[in-house]
Amino acid sequence: MKHLDRITLNPDQMGGKPCIRGLRVTVGTIIGLYASGLSAAEIISQYPYLEEEDLLQALSYASWRSEEIEVPVAV
C-alpha cells in the first residue's frame, strides 16, 4: 500500500475522524460524495482547496480500512 501522507488523524479535530491534510474535510465526506454520484471534478469544484491526490488517497484509505475491520452489510 502506498504511503498516505495526505490523511491526518487528530483527536481534537472532527472527532478524531481521518481528514484530508488537516482540513475539516473527512475521508467519509469524500467517500459519501463519490457514493452520491459526484465525479472527482465535481467534488473539487465544491471543495476547491482539495486536489485530485487528496481524493485518491481518501479512496485508498477507505479501501484499506474496509479490509481491516468488519463492516456489517444489510442483506
Side-chain angles (χ1 to χ4, degrees):
M1 178 169 184
K2 70 181 191 178
H3 183 66
L4 300 175
D5 58 349
R6 293 174 180 250
I7 307 300
T8 56
L9 297 164
N10 179 347
D12 296 325
Q13 184 180 41
M14 301 300 286
K17 294 178 181 178
C19 293
I20 306 297
R21 291 187 287 123
L23 301 170
R24 298 182 64 79
V25 178
T26 65
V27 168
T29 296
I30 301 301
I31 301 308
L33 292 169
Y34 273 123
S36 296
L38 272 66
S39 68
E42 291 169 320
I43 295 169
I44 290 172
S45 74
Q46 289 186 15
Y47 296 88
Y49 43 86
L50 294 178
E51 300 169 359
E52 190 169 342
E53 183 62 23
D54 296 327
L55 305 183
L56 292 172
Q57 285 198 22
L59 288 170
S60 293
Y61 182 84
S63 173
W64 171 71
R65 289 295 295 159
S66 72
E67 290 294 324
E68 292 297 312
I69 59 174
E70 259 188 56
V71 179
V73 178
V75 285

